[in-house]
Amino acid sequence: MPTITFRQPDGAELRVDAPVGTSVMKSAVGADVPGILAECGGQAMCATCHVYVTDDRALPPVSDEEDEMLDCASAPRTGHSRLSCQLVVDEDMDGLTVLVAGEGP
Amino acid sequence: MTVADVVVVGAGQAGIGVAAALREQGFAGRVTVVGREEHAPYERPPLSKSYLGATPVDERHLGLRAGGWYADRGIVLRLGEEVREIDRTAAVVVLGSGDRLPYDHLVLATGTRARTLPIEGGDLDGVVVLRGLDDARLLRRHLDRARTVLAVGAGFIGLEVAAAAHQRGVRPVVLDVASRVMERAVTSTTSRFFADAHRAQGTDLRLRTGVGALRGRHGLVTSAVTTDGAEIQADLVVVAVGVVPDTALARAAGLRTDDGVVVDAHLRTSDPAISAVGDCARFPEPVSGRSARLESVQAATDHARCVAARLAGRPEPYAAVPWFWTHQGPLKLQIAGLGGDLDREVVRGDPAQGRFSVFGFRDGRLATVESVGRPADHVAARRLLAAGAGPTPDQAADPAVDLKALAAVAP
């Protein structure tokens, strides 16, 4: 099973088993990763599962829906911003590290 | 008294939310969740949306938590178990199996049941309601072979099903006795936008129309006779005429109920050793100041957090802003706050472009914001409502006023 590392703004890291086919958000919620609130349960409706992906591996493109909600996230949006609920885990994601955006400044 | 033993009745979003929030709050006592269904706890919002659509979400991904999560946190799930009785004197919950679960604190998260239609033909095959996963499975099987689906009720569920059916190439017909769609939930501006959009994509939407009887052949539904005498051919009928809170246990236990289990600002029932959360709870809604019962993921989650914090020794009155959403195919609506009895409505943006928000004011204060294609308005609205601040109607209407900035400086 792929593992994904969630890094907190303070540098703390949590390595999580992420079943293929679930979302990165769900794997985080299942492991109680702090800062991934996922208030809407993964419907791209709340932007509380915002992460920064600095890894340069290919990820699915940002949909219009995700794009709109990322503009509303409380932490600043960057070119690396994703909603983790919209990232579906596949084998290629093994070893991915994402930075939890949290509530922002 | 120290709470060491928490029993939760109901394994939906609210019930599982209580268990999760208790552990997040550091609660070290026993947590037992009793659920009527055999299924592992799952999300409901996709059941009327992506689960029914042309490229359905995989059922395995609906789980609220992965399998091992519960055991890892010492949360005992008793699935497929009916609660027969609450014995308040003994502080014990009696299960259908006869097992008795003692509690220091009991949380009712019993949710709702779908209303049915007490009409001729209401028991035909192909007439379904949509509340749980079993309902959704049955509906999906019927959708696989249906040519026309009739949704009775133009609320969120009826319209979501119609949109999903359309995506699958099944012709949708939607009836409602109301004069507009989502009448109880949204303003007339938003209602009109959604009605037009559904009609534009081919939905046969008939308002001020009820169903008098359903007809069938060989036990399978074939048509509906409307209250105005028309006959609509349909080989699948989804009854989406609302839900009723499941208060039977609470009533039998002598707790106060009134279209929901009545709770106070701390979500306690009339027995302080029992709380109620989620769709079944009637609570004093802090933003509107009204008594409310909300069917939403937001209320379920925030109620759960509030009760868990109290049981972990950090009581705070419930203070969350209500918010809702619906996806109807490509159409998305986000709502913050509660409508009804608005004295002023201001539209920001342009409904003709499919991007607008309706700001509703009550007694001169911002009460609700409905957003279509303007998620930033929705997020700002939630912050403004939480702060009890908010734009004036003129500010809301003025596109030059930056709501995000206004929300940022709100006290």
Side-chain angles (χ1 to χ4, degrees):
Chain A
M1 187 183 312
T3 63
I4 296 176
T5 301
F6 293 86
R7 183 182 296 149
Q8 297 295 327
D10 67 2
E13 291 191 347
L14 202 60
R15 247 179 81 146
V16 167
D17 287 336
V20 169
T22 76
S23 69
V24 170
M25 176 279 283
K26 279 217 165 170
S27 68
V29 168
D32 302 327
V33 171
I36 303 287
L37 301 182
E39 287 181 342
C40 76
Q43 311 285 311
M45 278 289 136
C46 70
T48 60
C49 67
H50 181 194
V51 296
Y52 302 113
V53 186
T54 51
D55 200 301
D56 57 4
R57 73 184 86 194
L59 292 174
V62 176
S63 69
D64 290 350
E65 195 171 46
E66 182 180 351
D67 183 55
E68 285 176 353
M69 284 315 293
L70 279 170
D71 281 340
C72 313
S74 52
R77 179 176 185 174
T78 74
H80 301 295
S81 287
R82 297 299 303 251
L83 292 184
S84 55
C85 70
Q86 300 301 299
L87 292 173
V88 177
V89 175
D90 60 27
E91 294 291 353
D92 293 341
M93 279 191 196
D94 189 34
L96 185 74
T97 295
V98 304
L99 175 65
V100 176
E103 286 295 292
Chain B
M1 167 189 162
T2 313
V3 175
D5 231 323
V6 175
V7 174
V8 182
V9 186
Q13 190 96 35
I16 296 306
V18 169
L22 278 169
R23 291 299 185 233
E24 276 161 30
Q25 295 280 339
F27 179 79
R30 277 157 52 114
V31 179
T32 307
V33 184
V34 186
R36 186 187 293 124
E37 296 175 70
E38 298 277 359
H39 309 296
Y42 57 88
E43 293 178 59
R44 277 176 211 276
L47 295 182
S48 52
K49 307 177 184 80
S50 55
Y51 184 79
L52 300 179
T55 48
V57 59
D58 189 317
E59 209 171 272
R60 288 171 305 166
H61 301 150
L62 295 178
L64 283 171
R65 294 292 193 285
W69 184 89
Y70 301 94
D72 288 350
R73 282 150 192 81
I75 294 164
V76 178
L77 284 183
R78 300 283 303 252
L79 300 175
E81 289 261 28
E82 195 93 32
V83 173
R84 194 197 299 160
E85 187 198 341
I86 303 165
D87 180 345
R88 288 167 56 197
T89 315
V92 161
V93 164
V94 185
L95 302 186
S97 59
D99 282 2
R100 297 168 66 85
L101 304 177
Y103 64 83
D104 297 321
H105 197 86
L106 178 66
V107 182
L108 299 177
T110 48
T112 60
R113 291 174 190 265
R115 270 184 211 279
T116 51
L117 274 185
I119 56 168
E120 182 194 332
D123 55 352
L124 285 164
D125 195 12
V127 182
V128 300
V129 295
L130 179 51
R131 182 66 199 151
L133 181 55
D134 291 334
D135 299 329
R137 281 180 180 170
L138 180 64
L139 174 52
R140 203 158 86 169
R141 273 205 301 279
H142 279 294
L143 273 173
D144 284 340
R145 54 129 195 97
R147 281 181 299 178
T148 301
V149 56
L150 169 66
V152 183
F156 287 0
I157 299 289
L159 293 176
E160 287 168 1
V161 168
H166 171 74
Q167 287 180 335
R168 285 175 161 249
V170 178
R171 195 177 83 95
V173 184
V174 180
L175 303 186
D176 202 308
V177 291
S179 60
R180 56 188 183 82
V181 304
M182 301 184 283
E183 187 178 45
R184 288 179 310 125
V186 303
T187 61
S188 53
T189 303
T190 300
S191 212
R192 199 175 315 118
F193 172 82
F194 274 81
D196 290 349
H198 278 275
R199 282 183 169 134
Q201 69 178 21
T203 298
D204 179 357
L205 174 62
R206 305 189 193 189
L207 298 169
R208 297 187 189 83
T209 307
V211 176
L214 297 172
R215 302 250 165 89
R217 198 178 308 123
H218 308 305
L220 182 69
V221 71
T222 52
S223 70
V225 181
T226 66
T227 43
D228 50 16
E231 186 162 5
I232 299 169
Q233 303 300 318
D235 47 5
L236 174 57
V237 174
V238 181
V239 177
V241 293
V243 295
V244 283
D246 202 336
T247 56
L249 263 182
R251 262 206 324 275
L255 300 177
R256 216 181 128 213
T257 61
D258 174 17
D259 181 38
V261 183
V262 177
V263 295
D264 66 12
H266 286 268
L267 309 180
R268 285 176 301 225
T269 68
S270 50
D271 178 340
I274 306 177
S275 302
V277 293
D279 292 15
C280 75
R282 172 162 292 280
F283 65 103
E285 200 288 301
V287 179
S288 65
R290 298 164 167 206
S291 160
R293 194 178 61 71
L294 302 181
E295 293 143 24
S296 75
V297 168
Q298 171 275 321
T301 308
D302 287 324
H303 282 177
R305 287 184 189 152
C306 176
V307 167
R310 166 158 51 82
L311 295 178
R314 289 178 285 278
E316 285 283 344
Y318 186 71
V321 173
W323 56 278
F324 315 85
W325 77 89
T326 171
H327 282 189
Q328 296 166 21
L331 304 168
K332 296 176 186 75
L333 169 65
Q334 291 168 289
I335 304 172
L338 297 180
D341 294 333
L342 299 173
D343 37 45
R344 182 139 181 217
E345 294 172 22
V346 172
V347 178
R348 189 180 175 95
D350 183 6
Q353 302 289 321
R355 289 179 179 273
F356 66 98
S357 291
V358 182
F359 286 68
F361 294 83
R362 191 184 302 122
D363 303 325
R365 292 173 68 87
L366 183 67
T368 182
V369 179
E370 299 159 359
S371 302
V372 175
R374 291 179 68 106
D377 285 0
H378 171 72
V379 173
R382 282 166 53 186
R383 292 189 188 141
L384 290 164
L385 287 165
T392 63
D394 288 344
Q395 285 176 316
D398 182 354
V401 172
D402 182 352
L403 295 173
K404 202 171 172 182
L406 213 56
V409 298

